[in-house]
Short mmCIF file of all heavy atoms in Angstrom, two decimals:
data_model
loop_
_atom_site.label_atom_id
_atom_site.label_comp_id
_atom_site.label_asym_id
_atom_site.label_seq_id
_atom_site.Cartn_x
_atom_site.Cartn_y
_atom_site.Cartn_z
N SER A 142 -37.23 25.92 -1.56
CA SER A 142 -38.66 25.48 -1.89
C SER A 142 -39.61 26.75 -2.05
O SER A 142 -39.54 27.62 -1.28
CB SER A 142 -39.23 24.37 -0.95
OG SER A 142 -39.28 24.96 0.31
N LEU A 143 -40.56 26.69 -2.83
CA LEU A 143 -41.51 27.65 -3.03
C LEU A 143 -42.95 27.20 -2.62
O LEU A 143 -43.41 26.14 -3.17
CB LEU A 143 -41.58 28.19 -4.43
CG LEU A 143 -40.23 28.64 -4.99
CD1 LEU A 143 -40.44 29.12 -6.52
CD2 LEU A 143 -39.64 29.92 -4.24
N ALA A 144 -43.61 27.84 -1.71
CA ALA A 144 -45.06 27.56 -1.45
C ALA A 144 -45.87 28.07 -2.48
O ALA A 144 -45.54 28.71 -3.41
CB ALA A 144 -45.23 28.25 -0.06
N ASP A 146 -48.11 30.23 -2.36
CA ASP A 146 -48.22 31.67 -2.52
C ASP A 146 -47.03 32.41 -2.82
O ASP A 146 -46.92 33.71 -2.80
CB ASP A 146 -48.78 32.19 -1.13
CG ASP A 146 -47.71 31.90 0.05
OD1 ASP A 146 -46.73 31.29 -0.19
OD2 ASP A 146 -48.09 32.26 1.15
N GLY A 148 -44.11 32.22 -1.21
CA GLY A 148 -43.15 32.27 -0.15
C GLY A 148 -42.01 31.22 -0.41
O GLY A 148 -42.13 30.25 -0.83
N ILE A 149 -40.82 31.61 0.13
CA ILE A 149 -39.62 31.00 -0.14
C ILE A 149 -39.08 30.38 1.24
O ILE A 149 -39.14 31.08 2.16
CB ILE A 149 -38.50 31.85 -0.66
CG1 ILE A 149 -38.99 32.52 -2.04
CG2 ILE A 149 -37.24 30.99 -0.99
CD1 ILE A 149 -38.15 33.55 -2.53
N THR A 150 -38.75 29.17 1.36
CA THR A 150 -38.05 28.56 2.45
C THR A 150 -36.66 28.00 1.96
O THR A 150 -36.74 27.24 0.95
CB THR A 150 -38.89 27.39 2.99
OG1 THR A 150 -40.07 27.96 3.42
CG2 THR A 150 -38.18 26.81 4.23
N ILE A 151 -35.64 28.45 2.65
CA ILE A 151 -34.33 27.77 2.18
C ILE A 151 -33.74 27.16 3.54
O ILE A 151 -34.15 27.48 4.67
CB ILE A 151 -33.36 28.93 1.74
CG1 ILE A 151 -33.14 29.91 2.78
CG2 ILE A 151 -33.96 29.58 0.36
CD1 ILE A 151 -31.95 30.87 2.28
N SER A 152 -32.82 26.16 3.28
CA SER A 152 -32.09 25.64 4.36
C SER A 152 -30.74 25.21 3.80
O SER A 152 -30.51 25.17 2.53
CB SER A 152 -32.84 24.30 4.93
OG SER A 152 -32.73 23.27 4.01
N ALA A 164 -29.45 36.85 3.76
CA ALA A 164 -30.05 36.39 2.46
C ALA A 164 -30.39 37.72 1.61
O ALA A 164 -30.98 38.63 2.08
CB ALA A 164 -31.18 35.48 2.61
N VAL A 171 -33.32 40.19 2.22
CA VAL A 171 -34.65 39.61 2.58
C VAL A 171 -34.70 38.75 3.83
O VAL A 171 -35.64 38.42 4.20
CB VAL A 171 -35.17 38.78 1.35
CG1 VAL A 171 -35.49 39.63 0.26
CG2 VAL A 171 -34.20 37.68 1.05
N GLY A 172 -33.52 38.47 4.45
CA GLY A 172 -33.51 37.73 5.56
C GLY A 172 -32.26 37.67 6.40
O GLY A 172 -31.20 37.90 5.82
N LEU A 173 -32.41 37.45 7.71
CA LEU A 173 -31.15 37.40 8.51
C LEU A 173 -31.35 36.48 9.67
O LEU A 173 -32.41 36.40 10.28
CB LEU A 173 -30.82 38.91 9.19
CG LEU A 173 -29.63 38.95 10.07
CD1 LEU A 173 -28.25 38.71 9.20
CD2 LEU A 173 -29.68 40.28 10.75
N VAL A 174 -30.46 35.50 9.85
CA VAL A 174 -30.61 34.45 10.89
C VAL A 174 -29.17 33.98 11.35
O VAL A 174 -28.21 34.32 10.62
CB VAL A 174 -31.38 33.29 10.37
CG1 VAL A 174 -30.55 32.45 9.41
CG2 VAL A 174 -31.79 32.40 11.56
N PHE A 182 -28.69 25.97 8.84
CA PHE A 182 -29.57 27.27 8.95
C PHE A 182 -30.82 26.95 8.11
O PHE A 182 -30.93 26.16 7.31
CB PHE A 182 -28.83 28.52 8.36
CG PHE A 182 -28.51 28.42 6.89
CD1 PHE A 182 -29.35 28.92 5.89
CD2 PHE A 182 -27.26 27.91 6.41
CE1 PHE A 182 -29.11 28.80 4.59
CE2 PHE A 182 -26.93 27.88 5.09
CZ PHE A 182 -27.85 28.21 4.13
N ARG A 183 -31.78 27.78 8.38
CA ARG A 183 -33.17 27.75 7.74
C ARG A 183 -33.71 29.15 7.91
O ARG A 183 -33.62 29.81 8.82
CB ARG A 183 -34.07 26.53 8.45
CG ARG A 183 -35.41 26.46 7.84
CD ARG A 183 -36.21 25.59 8.60
NE ARG A 183 -37.69 25.36 8.19
CZ ARG A 183 -38.03 24.56 7.16
NH1 ARG A 183 -37.12 23.76 6.56
NH2 ARG A 183 -39.21 24.52 6.83
N MET A 184 -34.32 29.50 6.63
CA MET A 184 -34.89 30.83 6.65
C MET A 184 -36.23 30.83 5.89
O MET A 184 -36.33 30.09 4.82
CB MET A 184 -34.08 31.82 5.98
CG MET A 184 -32.75 32.37 6.65
SD MET A 184 -32.04 33.75 5.91
CE MET A 184 -30.30 33.31 5.91
N GLN A 185 -37.13 31.63 6.35
CA GLN A 185 -38.46 31.82 5.66
C GLN A 185 -38.25 33.25 5.00
O GLN A 185 -38.08 34.17 5.63
CB GLN A 185 -39.59 31.82 6.64
CG GLN A 185 -39.87 30.58 7.35
CD GLN A 185 -40.54 29.53 6.50
OE1 GLN A 185 -40.99 29.77 5.39
NE2 GLN A 185 -40.40 28.28 6.86
N LEU A 186 -38.50 33.30 3.68
CA LEU A 186 -38.22 34.49 2.94
C LEU A 186 -39.48 34.97 2.29
O LEU A 186 -40.35 34.15 1.94
CB LEU A 186 -37.16 34.44 2.00
CG LEU A 186 -35.76 33.88 2.44
CD1 LEU A 186 -34.78 33.61 1.33
CD2 LEU A 186 -35.19 34.83 3.59
N PRO A 187 -39.64 36.26 2.01
CA PRO A 187 -40.86 36.77 1.34
C PRO A 187 -40.90 36.34 -0.08
O PRO A 187 -40.01 35.92 -0.66
CB PRO A 187 -40.84 38.33 1.39
CG PRO A 187 -39.35 38.53 1.66
CD PRO A 187 -38.86 37.39 2.47
N ALA A 188 -42.14 36.27 -0.63
CA ALA A 188 -42.30 35.91 -2.05
C ALA A 188 -41.57 36.84 -3.03
O ALA A 188 -41.44 37.92 -2.66
CB ALA A 188 -43.78 35.78 -2.35
N ARG A 234 -45.85 22.74 -3.45
CA ARG A 234 -44.55 23.32 -3.29
C ARG A 234 -43.63 22.77 -4.35
O ARG A 234 -43.77 21.73 -4.79
CB ARG A 234 -44.00 23.03 -1.75
CG ARG A 234 -44.80 23.62 -0.65
CD ARG A 234 -44.65 22.76 0.66
NE ARG A 234 -43.29 22.59 1.01
CZ ARG A 234 -42.57 23.23 1.86
NH1 ARG A 234 -43.02 24.34 2.37
NH2 ARG A 234 -41.41 22.79 2.22
N GLU A 250 -35.84 17.25 5.25
CA GLU A 250 -36.06 18.63 5.59
C GLU A 250 -37.50 18.93 5.37
O GLU A 250 -38.10 19.82 6.04
CB GLU A 250 -35.25 19.49 4.62
CG GLU A 250 -35.59 20.97 4.62
CD GLU A 250 -34.98 21.61 6.03
OE1 GLU A 250 -34.10 20.98 6.64
OE2 GLU A 250 -35.57 22.74 6.34
N ALA A 287 -46.08 19.49 4.39
CA ALA A 287 -44.73 19.68 4.83
C ALA A 287 -44.75 19.62 6.37
O ALA A 287 -45.87 19.93 6.84
CB ALA A 287 -44.20 21.11 4.35
N THR A 288 -43.78 19.30 7.02
CA THR A 288 -43.73 19.43 8.37
C THR A 288 -43.68 20.93 8.93
O THR A 288 -43.08 21.75 8.41
CB THR A 288 -42.26 18.85 8.94
OG1 THR A 288 -42.15 17.53 8.54
CG2 THR A 288 -42.15 18.94 10.46
N PRO A 289 -44.61 21.12 9.81
CA PRO A 289 -44.88 22.68 10.29
C PRO A 289 -43.43 23.06 10.84
O PRO A 289 -42.64 22.44 11.55
CB PRO A 289 -45.78 22.45 11.51
CG PRO A 289 -46.55 21.24 11.17
CD PRO A 289 -45.56 20.33 10.60
N ASP A 290 -43.18 24.39 10.55
CA ASP A 290 -42.03 24.95 11.09
C ASP A 290 -42.03 25.23 12.59
O ASP A 290 -43.00 25.49 13.16
CB ASP A 290 -41.69 26.37 10.38
CG ASP A 290 -41.36 26.10 9.01
OD1 ASP A 290 -40.78 25.16 8.57
OD2 ASP A 290 -41.82 26.92 8.14
#
Side-chain angles (χ1 to χ4, degrees):
S142 61
L143 302 177
D146 63 0
I149 304 166
T150 301
I151 64 171
S152 66
V171 292
L173 182 69
V174 71
F182 65 91
R183 179 182 175 87
M184 289 193 224
Q185 300 283 345
L186 308 178
R234 288 154 53 97
E250 174 68 26
T288 300
D290 295 325

